[in-house]
Amino acid sequence: MSAPALSAALTGIGVGRGSAVAPVAFVRPAPPVPAAEVAVEGDTARLEAAFAFVAAALHERAARAEGDLAAVLSATALMAGDTALTAEAVSRVRNGTGPATAVAEAVAGFATMFEAAGGYLAERVTDLHSVRDRVIAHLLGAPEPGLALTERSVVAAEDLSPADTATLDLELVAGIVTELGGPTGHTAIIAGQLGIPCLVRVAGVLDLRPGTTVAIDAAAGTVTVEPDEALVAMLEERAARDTAIAGDTAPGGTSDGRPVPLLANIGTPADIDRAIAAHAEGVGLFRTEVLFLEATEPPTVDDQATVYADAVARLGERKLVVRTLDAGADKPLAFATQPDEENPALGVRGYRLARTLPDLVDTQLAALGSTATPGTWVMAPMVATPAEARDFASRARAAGATTVGVMIEVPAAALRAESILREVDFVSLGTNDLAQYTMATDRLRGELADLLDPWQPAVLELVAATARAGRALDKPVGVCGESAADPVMALVLVGMGVTSLSMSPGSLAAVRFALRSHSSARCEEIAAAALAQDDAAAARAAALALTSTAFREGLGL
């Protein structure tokens, strides 16, 4: 394929609304596996040492990272230390296969199994390949995949694993562009957490020459090669407007005074500092997986309580919504091996762990109960029925939690939201998983990203049904999926009756501006217009058409 012409625009899926203009730099690829490689004496020991080296290096990087990046690095380190993967590669070496070839073949087999399983395991294939590349590089004495930046650059890659991200000097990363991936994959989530402009699913980006100047615009979903002065000026002007908008630090709310708390999604207590700096009013989603993914044994009550107390202390009087462990057979824990499942995405995950590992659930609730304050809310993921909601509420309240809720991310729960809300104090919509389960579409399948669009009418209907249930019972209904980060979608959600919005800290300013630019009545009109459409693009267009001119001009929409 020939390189794009000057001023050509490549298209993809943007994460957030950031932009950047900088030369493009490519992540160093993995070294090739030697042809006709055969095993020699000592290769099994070298192979085992290589896996151990990579696992230790990833654990070290995880210890230096924060939030989602720390979580996925820890999980990748556990993957590198997986005895089954090492044993498979060693077995091949003992049968005469060269060590690098053995690693490639063993990983290929595991990747096939992960892809067949779907869900979270399918998302981990990129990380599995990262382990492969690092082990092979160590075996061959070659530099590990990555990129040493010398100037501020747009980083481009086929895909970017957490380990790749951890090697980057983030001060020099102007943006990230990948040819693969999806808007809810690891690269997108980490870029959102770090406030880095990002585009995924950009076909043709790998055909550019290193050093080529590009303008990336996440809001428009474009990568423009050799941008002209007019485009650069437009992006600079929009960035200046965004900076001005970020100066509004008042609590979230509509123009007629309806309060809508704007909260942040975090992965560790350390993320709270970044959220407060972005003027978050609290935390709407504290993912607690990091503590568990880094552990080789179940964390004790005291271990967990220390982490939760740290989060409470950093937030002060601000709200903290903690999601209990969202893991299971599809998010393997070193100390909680589940039986093999044919479809882990539909298996024992989230609160369903109470069926097989009740002590794990009760220990976490005891830790949360011991540190609970009036501003601490506790919720369970993957609840599908009122009975499950009732069981969780009973366990949580017995442990000392005072405000108890559940996630709505299964269509069955959205359809029975009123019955579920009778059992708990609040619910929070996880729109990423809700879209996945509603549209029967794996979040990894970037080519199906249009089906995962939160503007899909079926997804909007389920959100609206949940919000109606909350209004009927006068109970809070929040959204902590990243759809809340879309300023236009935020207006729709509030118009439906959603009472709080939680997102990556970098999205708060634009959403605050969106709400302040519209009344409650106008939000309701915008929501009704979106719900009346038959496809995602029409729903967003109908909503945008009813927004104020000042809003569209302010955000450059």
Side-chain angles (χ1 to χ4, degrees):
M1 186 182 296
S2 60
L6 293 182
S7 297
L10 309 176
T11 59
I13 302 171
V15 179
R17 49 177 282 102
S19 62
V21 179
V24 67
F26 295 94
V27 173
R28 181 172 54 239
V33 175
E37 184 189 33
V38 295
V40 299
E41 185 177 353
D43 275 348
T44 57
R46 288 202 312 122
L47 185 58
E48 290 171 341
F51 273 105
F53 175 86
V54 170
L58 290 169
H59 276 302
E60 182 180 346
R61 288 173 182 170
R64 297 196 302 266
E66 298 179 354
D68 291 305
L69 181 56
V72 291
L73 278 172
S74 295
T76 306
L78 291 174
M79 192 180 292
D82 188 325
T83 55
L85 177 60
T86 303
E88 177 64 24
V90 166
S91 174
R92 292 173 182 274
V93 169
R94 287 175 175 160
N95 288 328
T97 302
T101 304
V103 172
E105 291 177 353
V107 167
F110 274 69
T112 298
M113 289 189 293
F114 281 20
E115 289 170 343
Y120 180 84
L121 280 180
E123 291 184 9
R124 302 311 308 278
V125 169
T126 296
D127 304 333
L128 187 60
H129 288 162
S130 177
V131 169
R132 173 200 63 194
D133 296 344
R134 281 163 171 72
V135 171
I136 290 175
H138 186 75
L139 286 168
L140 299 178
E144 71 173 10
L147 177 63
L149 296 173
T150 58
E151 62 178 331
R152 188 166 173 79
S153 305
V154 170
V155 175
E158 181 178 50
D159 206 349
L160 203 61
S161 73
D164 295 328
T165 305
T167 65
L168 297 173
D169 181 351
L170 296 178
E171 295 296 322
L172 296 178
V173 178
I176 295 173
V177 181
T178 65
E179 189 172 61
L180 303 179
T184 61
H186 289 322
T187 299
I189 290 173
I190 292 169
Q193 174 190 319
L194 299 174
I196 298 173
C198 176
L199 285 93
V200 298
R201 307 297 300 179
V202 181
V205 69
L206 299 183
D207 296 318
L208 299 176
R209 296 183 180 88
T212 300
T213 299
V214 297
I216 66 172
D217 184 354
T222 58
V223 177
T224 304
V225 182
E226 300 291 359
D228 58 26
E229 293 182 0
L231 176 58
V232 172
M234 185 274 287
L235 294 177
E236 290 176 345
E237 181 182 350
R238 194 179 74 195
R241 289 197 302 267
D242 286 350
T243 299
I245 288 169
D248 180 1
T249 62
T254 59
S255 62
D256 56 332
R258 173 184 167 186
V260 183
L262 300 181
L263 312 169
N265 297 339
I266 67 166
T268 69
D271 294 337
I272 291 172
D273 298 338
R274 185 183 297 111
I276 292 175
H279 310 292
E281 296 170 59
V283 168
L285 173 62
F286 179 8
R287 306 179 184 96
T288 57
E289 286 73 52
V290 176
L291 179 61
F292 292 85
L293 290 172
E294 292 178 342
T296 56
E297 296 181 354
T300 66
V301 171
D302 289 343
D303 291 336
Q304 296 184 58
T306 298
V307 175
Y308 306 143
D310 183 15
V312 170
R314 289 174 188 257
L315 280 168
E317 299 298 318
R318 299 177 183 87
K319 180 179 180 179
L320 171 65
V321 183
V322 181
R323 183 182 70 188
T324 57
L325 180 63
D326 187 10
D330 67 331
K331 294 183 184 178
L333 300 175
F335 50 84
T337 302
Q338 295 287 317
D340 290 339
E341 294 181 313
E342 292 185 2
N343 193 338
L346 302 179
V348 181
R349 56 166 295 198
Y351 186 59
R352 296 173 183 180
L353 284 172
R355 298 169 181 248
T356 57
L357 298 167
D359 289 346
L360 189 64
V361 174
D362 290 337
T363 297
Q364 183 173 28
L365 290 175
L368 287 165
S370 71
T371 57
T373 68
T376 303
W377 296 16
V378 179
M379 63 182 179
M382 283 298 289
V383 166
T385 68
E388 287 180 334
R390 185 185 312 118
D391 183 67
F392 174 72
S394 177
R395 288 173 183 260
R397 288 170 180 147
T402 56
T403 306
V404 180
V406 299
M407 296 281 292
I408 301 293
E409 48 200 339
V410 178
L415 293 170
R416 300 292 296 166
E418 187 166 337
S419 295
I420 285 175
L421 270 167
R422 295 186 190 280
E423 306 293 342
V424 295
D425 303 310
F426 72 98
V427 296
S428 186
L429 285 144
T431 51
N432 294 345
D433 269 332
L434 184 62
Q436 173 178 244
Y437 290 124
T438 301
M439 304 305 295
T441 303
D442 194 318
R443 282 164 47 175
L444 183 68
R445 307 304 301 188
E447 68 271 27
L448 300 178
D450 59 310
L451 295 177
L452 286 172
D453 192 328
W455 289 93
Q456 283 287 351
V459 179
L460 292 179
E461 287 284 1
L462 291 174
V463 174
T466 305
R468 284 195 300 271
R471 287 198 306 270
L473 297 179
D474 194 25
K475 291 187 176 181
V477 174
V479 169
C480 60
E482 282 300 322
S483 66
D486 178 347
V488 183
M489 175 63 82
L491 299 174
V492 173
L493 296 173
V494 171
M496 290 176 176
V498 167
T499 57
S500 66
L501 302 171
S502 190
M503 64 205 74
S504 296
S507 301
L508 289 164
V511 172
R512 181 179 287 109
F513 176 72
L515 297 180
R516 202 171 308 290
S517 301
H518 300 85
S519 66
S520 297
R522 177 51 62 94
C523 289
E524 291 172 5
E525 292 176 22
I526 293 170
L531 286 165
Q533 308 307 312
D534 289 328
D535 63 72
R540 190 177 194 281
L544 185 61
L546 289 176
T547 59
S548 71
T549 300
F551 165 72
R552 294 194 299 274
E553 291 179 349
L555 294 186
L557 298 175

mmCIF file of all heavy atoms in Angstrom, residues 5-37:
data_model
loop_
_atom_site.group_PDB
_atom_site.id
_atom_site.type_symbol
_atom_site.label_atom_id
_atom_site.label_comp_id
_atom_site.label_asym_id
_atom_site.label_seq_id
_atom_site.Cartn_x
_atom_site.Cartn_y
_atom_site.Cartn_z
ATOM 1 N N ALA A 5 -1.376 10.534 0.574
ATOM 2 C CA ALA A 5 -0.955 11.794 -0.023
ATOM 3 C C ALA A 5 -0.961 12.895 1.018
ATOM 4 O O ALA A 5 -1.505 12.757 2.098
ATOM 5 C CB ALA A 5 -1.914 12.146 -1.182
ATOM 6 N N LEU A 6 -0.299 14.021 0.678
ATOM 7 C CA LEU A 6 -0.283 15.161 1.579
ATOM 8 C C LEU A 6 -1.701 15.584 1.916
ATOM 9 O O LEU A 6 -2.589 15.610 1.062
ATOM 10 C CB LEU A 6 0.470 16.327 0.931
ATOM 11 C CG LEU A 6 1.977 16.131 0.708
ATOM 12 C CD1 LEU A 6 2.581 17.390 0.107
ATOM 13 C CD2 LEU A 6 2.675 15.777 2.004
ATOM 14 N N SER A 7 -1.906 15.947 3.179
ATOM 15 C CA SER A 7 -3.191 16.419 3.687
ATOM 16 C C SER A 7 -4.275 15.341 3.627
ATOM 17 O O SER A 7 -5.446 15.647 3.762
ATOM 18 C CB SER A 7 -3.660 17.684 2.951
ATOM 19 O OG SER A 7 -2.731 18.728 3.184
ATOM 20 N N ALA A 8 -3.874 14.088 3.393
ATOM 21 C CA ALA A 8 -4.860 13.005 3.419
ATOM 22 C C ALA A 8 -5.351 12.831 4.841
ATOM 23 O O ALA A 8 -4.631 13.055 5.805
ATOM 24 C CB ALA A 8 -4.241 11.720 2.897
ATOM 25 N N ALA A 9 -6.603 12.402 4.978
ATOM 26 C CA ALA A 9 -7.180 12.175 6.303
ATOM 27 C C ALA A 9 -7.515 10.700 6.451
ATOM 28 O O ALA A 9 -8.274 10.139 5.659
ATOM 29 C CB ALA A 9 -8.419 13.038 6.488
ATOM 30 N N LEU A 10 -6.912 10.081 7.435
ATOM 31 C CA LEU A 10 -7.270 8.720 7.800
ATOM 32 C C LEU A 10 -8.363 8.810 8.855
ATOM 33 O O LEU A 10 -8.418 9.766 9.617
ATOM 34 C CB LEU A 10 -6.051 7.983 8.352
ATOM 35 C CG LEU A 10 -4.778 8.025 7.502
ATOM 36 C CD1 LEU A 10 -3.639 7.324 8.227
ATOM 37 C CD2 LEU A 10 -5.025 7.382 6.140
ATOM 38 N N THR A 11 -9.198 7.815 8.925
ATOM 39 C CA THR A 11 -10.309 7.867 9.878
ATOM 40 C C THR A 11 -10.242 6.678 10.838
ATOM 41 O O THR A 11 -9.719 5.620 10.510
ATOM 42 C CB THR A 11 -11.665 7.859 9.157
ATOM 43 O OG1 THR A 11 -11.776 6.673 8.372
ATOM 44 C CG2 THR A 11 -11.804 9.076 8.259
ATOM 45 N N GLY A 12 -10.785 6.896 12.015
ATOM 46 C CA GLY A 12 -10.835 5.861 13.024
ATOM 47 C C GLY A 12 -11.856 6.221 14.085
ATOM 48 O O GLY A 12 -12.742 7.050 13.857
ATOM 49 N N ILE A 13 -11.714 5.619 15.245
ATOM 50 C CA ILE A 13 -12.625 5.868 16.363
ATOM 51 C C ILE A 13 -11.868 6.653 17.426
ATOM 52 O O ILE A 13 -10.856 6.193 17.953
ATOM 53 C CB ILE A 13 -13.146 4.540 16.958
ATOM 54 C CG1 ILE A 13 -13.845 3.723 15.879
ATOM 55 C CG2 ILE A 13 -14.088 4.807 18.126
ATOM 56 C CD1 ILE A 13 -14.192 2.307 16.319
ATOM 57 N N GLY A 14 -12.352 7.846 17.722
ATOM 58 C CA GLY A 14 -11.685 8.693 18.689
ATOM 59 C C GLY A 14 -12.071 8.349 20.120
ATOM 60 O O GLY A 14 -13.180 7.897 20.392
ATOM 61 N N VAL A 15 -11.138 8.562 21.031
ATOM 62 C CA VAL A 15 -11.376 8.390 22.464
ATOM 63 C C VAL A 15 -11.297 9.779 23.089
ATOM 64 O O VAL A 15 -10.250 10.397 23.108
ATOM 65 C CB VAL A 15 -10.329 7.462 23.099
ATOM 66 C CG1 VAL A 15 -10.576 7.320 24.592
ATOM 67 C CG2 VAL A 15 -10.341 6.103 22.412
ATOM 68 N N GLY A 16 -12.423 10.289 23.552
ATOM 69 C CA GLY A 16 -12.451 11.649 24.086
ATOM 70 C C GLY A 16 -12.531 12.678 22.974
ATOM 71 O O GLY A 16 -12.988 12.386 21.864
ATOM 72 N N ARG A 17 -12.021 13.900 23.258
ATOM 73 C CA ARG A 17 -12.103 14.958 22.261
ATOM 74 C C ARG A 17 -10.776 15.699 22.125
ATOM 75 O O ARG A 17 -10.702 16.807 21.611
ATOM 76 C CB ARG A 17 -13.216 15.941 22.594
ATOM 77 C CG ARG A 17 -13.227 16.460 24.026
ATOM 78 C CD ARG A 17 -14.327 17.484 24.270
ATOM 79 N NE ARG A 17 -13.999 18.808 23.765
ATOM 80 C CZ ARG A 17 -14.462 19.317 22.643
ATOM 81 N NH1 ARG A 17 -15.258 18.618 21.876
ATOM 82 N NH2 ARG A 17 -14.108 20.532 22.257
ATOM 83 N N GLY A 18 -9.697 15.107 22.587
ATOM 84 C CA GLY A 18 -8.397 15.765 22.520
ATOM 85 C C GLY A 18 -7.837 15.796 21.113
ATOM 86 O O GLY A 18 -8.302 15.102 20.198
ATOM 87 N N SER A 19 -6.793 16.616 20.925
ATOM 88 C CA SER A 19 -6.132 16.724 19.624
ATOM 89 C C SER A 19 -4.651 16.977 19.845
ATOM 90 O O SER A 19 -4.223 17.366 20.937
ATOM 91 C CB SER A 19 -6.750 17.847 18.791
ATOM 92 O OG SER A 19 -6.571 19.100 19.443
ATOM 93 N N ALA A 20 -3.864 16.779 18.791
ATOM 94 C CA ALA A 20 -2.432 17.021 18.866
ATOM 95 C C ALA A 20 -1.879 17.107 17.457
ATOM 96 O O ALA A 20 -2.412 16.506 16.521
ATOM 97 C CB ALA A 20 -1.726 15.912 19.635
ATOM 98 N N VAL A 21 -0.793 17.864 17.307
ATOM 99 C CA VAL A 21 -0.059 17.946 16.044
ATOM 100 C C VAL A 21 1.398 17.659 16.370
ATOM 101 O O VAL A 21 2.016 18.366 17.174
ATOM 102 C CB VAL A 21 -0.188 19.334 15.391
ATOM 103 C CG1 VAL A 21 0.605 19.376 14.090
ATOM 104 C CG2 VAL A 21 -1.650 19.675 15.142
ATOM 105 N N ALA A 22 1.949 16.604 15.764
ATOM 106 C CA ALA A 22 3.316 16.197 16.083
ATOM 107 C C ALA A 22 3.777 15.166 15.060
ATOM 108 O O ALA A 22 2.962 14.578 14.341
ATOM 109 C CB ALA A 22 3.388 15.617 17.492
ATOM 110 N N PRO A 23 5.082 14.919 14.999
ATOM 111 C CA PRO A 23 5.571 13.855 14.115
ATOM 112 C C PRO A 23 5.166 12.481 14.646
ATOM 113 O O PRO A 23 5.021 12.291 15.856
ATOM 114 C CB PRO A 23 7.092 14.034 14.154
ATOM 115 C CG PRO A 23 7.367 14.743 15.441
ATOM 116 C CD PRO A 23 6.174 15.634 15.660
ATOM 117 N N VAL A 24 4.996 11.548 13.737
ATOM 118 C CA VAL A 24 4.583 10.203 14.139
ATOM 119 C C VAL A 24 5.823 9.345 14.403
ATOM 120 O O VAL A 24 6.830 9.441 13.699
ATOM 121 C CB VAL A 24 3.678 9.566 13.061
ATOM 122 C CG1 VAL A 24 4.442 9.291 11.782
ATOM 123 C CG2 VAL A 24 3.033 8.291 13.576
ATOM 124 N N ALA A 25 5.745 8.539 15.451
ATOM 125 C CA ALA A 25 6.825 7.607 15.794
ATOM 126 C C ALA A 25 6.208 6.234 16.016
ATOM 127 O O ALA A 25 5.128 6.119 16.601
ATOM 128 C CB ALA A 25 7.559 8.079 17.050
ATOM 129 N N PHE A 26 6.894 5.203 15.569
ATOM 130 C CA PHE A 26 6.337 3.859 15.600
ATOM 131 C C PHE A 26 6.980 3.020 16.698
ATOM 132 O O PHE A 26 8.191 3.082 16.923
ATOM 133 C CB PHE A 26 6.518 3.162 14.250
ATOM 134 C CG PHE A 26 5.750 3.813 13.147
ATOM 135 C CD1 PHE A 26 6.338 4.776 12.332
ATOM 136 C CD2 PHE A 26 4.413 3.495 12.935
ATOM 137 C CE1 PHE A 26 5.615 5.392 11.331
ATOM 138 C CE2 PHE A 26 3.688 4.107 11.939
ATOM 139 C CZ PHE A 26 4.286 5.062 11.130
ATOM 140 N N VAL A 27 6.155 2.245 17.367
ATOM 141 C CA VAL A 27 6.649 1.334 18.386
ATOM 142 C C VAL A 27 7.525 0.281 17.726
ATOM 143 O O VAL A 27 7.171 -0.289 16.686
ATOM 144 C CB VAL A 27 5.477 0.667 19.131
ATOM 145 C CG1 VAL A 27 5.980 -0.423 20.075
ATOM 146 C CG2 VAL A 27 4.681 1.707 19.897
ATOM 147 N N ARG A 28 8.704 0.038 18.309
ATOM 148 C CA ARG A 28 9.636 -0.938 17.768
ATOM 149 C C ARG A 28 9.003 -2.322 17.765
ATOM 150 O O ARG A 28 8.506 -2.792 18.797
ATOM 151 C CB ARG A 28 10.912 -0.944 18.606
ATOM 152 C CG ARG A 28 11.977 -1.925 18.123
ATOM 153 C CD ARG A 28 13.287 -1.749 18.876
ATOM 154 N NE ARG A 28 13.094 -1.819 20.308
ATOM 155 C CZ ARG A 28 13.412 -0.852 21.170
ATOM 156 N NH1 ARG A 28 13.910 0.287 20.730
ATOM 157 N NH2 ARG A 28 13.230 -1.006 22.470
ATOM 158 N N PRO A 29 9.005 -3.015 16.617
ATOM 159 C CA PRO A 29 8.374 -4.335 16.561
ATOM 160 C C PRO A 29 9.205 -5.388 17.280
ATOM 161 O O PRO A 29 10.378 -5.175 17.618
ATOM 162 C CB PRO A 29 8.304 -4.623 15.060
ATOM 163 C CG PRO A 29 9.470 -3.868 14.496
ATOM 164 C CD PRO A 29 9.581 -2.617 15.328
ATOM 165 N N ALA A 30 8.590 -6.526 17.498
ATOM 166 C CA ALA A 30 9.291 -7.637 18.120
ATOM 167 C C ALA A 30 10.312 -8.224 17.157
ATOM 168 O O ALA A 30 10.132 -8.179 15.934
ATOM 169 C CB ALA A 30 8.296 -8.722 18.519
ATOM 170 N N PRO A 31 11.414 -8.783 17.666
ATOM 171 C CA PRO A 31 12.387 -9.417 16.768
ATOM 172 C C PRO A 31 11.776 -10.659 16.130
ATOM 173 O O PRO A 31 10.971 -11.358 16.750
ATOM 174 C CB PRO A 31 13.538 -9.788 17.715
ATOM 175 C CG PRO A 31 12.906 -9.912 19.063
ATOM 176 C CD PRO A 31 11.805 -8.890 19.079
ATOM 177 N N PRO A 32 12.138 -10.943 14.886
ATOM 178 C CA PRO A 32 11.571 -12.136 14.229
ATOM 179 C C PRO A 32 12.126 -13.422 14.834
ATOM 180 O O PRO A 32 13.243 -13.461 15.351
ATOM 181 C CB PRO A 32 12.021 -11.970 12.769
ATOM 182 C CG PRO A 32 13.274 -11.140 12.864
ATOM 183 C CD PRO A 32 13.051 -10.201 14.012
ATOM 184 N N VAL A 33 11.325 -14.454 14.763
ATOM 185 C CA VAL A 33 11.766 -15.772 15.231
ATOM 186 C C VAL A 33 12.737 -16.347 14.201
ATOM 187 O O VAL A 33 12.448 -16.337 12.998
ATOM 188 C CB VAL A 33 10.558 -16.716 15.416
ATOM 189 C CG1 VAL A 33 11.025 -18.124 15.775
ATOM 190 C CG2 VAL A 33 9.627 -16.166 16.475
ATOM 191 N N PRO A 34 13.899 -16.830 14.623
ATOM 192 C CA PRO A 34 14.859 -17.387 13.656
ATOM 193 C C PRO A 34 14.258 -18.534 12.855
ATOM 194 O O PRO A 34 13.507 -19.363 13.390
ATOM 195 C CB PRO A 34 15.999 -17.887 14.548
ATOM 196 C CG PRO A 34 15.875 -17.104 15.821
ATOM 197 C CD PRO A 34 14.399 -16.872 16.003
ATOM 198 N N ALA A 35 14.593 -18.585 11.586
ATOM 199 C CA ALA A 35 14.100 -19.667 10.727
ATOM 200 C C ALA A 35 14.825 -20.970 11.055
ATOM 201 O O ALA A 35 16.009 -20.969 11.412
ATOM 202 C CB ALA A 35 14.312 -19.302 9.256
ATOM 203 N N ALA A 36 14.121 -22.069 10.925
ATOM 204 C CA ALA A 36 14.692 -23.410 11.116
ATOM 205 C C ALA A 36 15.422 -23.531 12.449
ATOM 206 O O ALA A 36 16.480 -24.161 12.555
ATOM 207 C CB ALA A 36 15.631 -23.754 9.958
ATOM 208 N N GLU A 37 14.868 -22.943 13.480
ATOM 209 C CA GLU A 37 15.489 -22.980 14.800
ATOM 210 C C GLU A 37 15.296 -24.359 15.433
ATOM 211 O O GLU A 37 14.219 -24.949 15.347
ATOM 212 C CB GLU A 37 14.832 -21.911 15.685
ATOM 213 C CG GLU A 37 15.462 -21.780 17.052
ATOM 214 C CD GLU A 37 14.618 -20.873 17.952
ATOM 215 O OE1 GLU A 37 13.384 -20.876 17.801
ATOM 216 O OE2 GLU A 37 15.210 -20.200 18.809
#
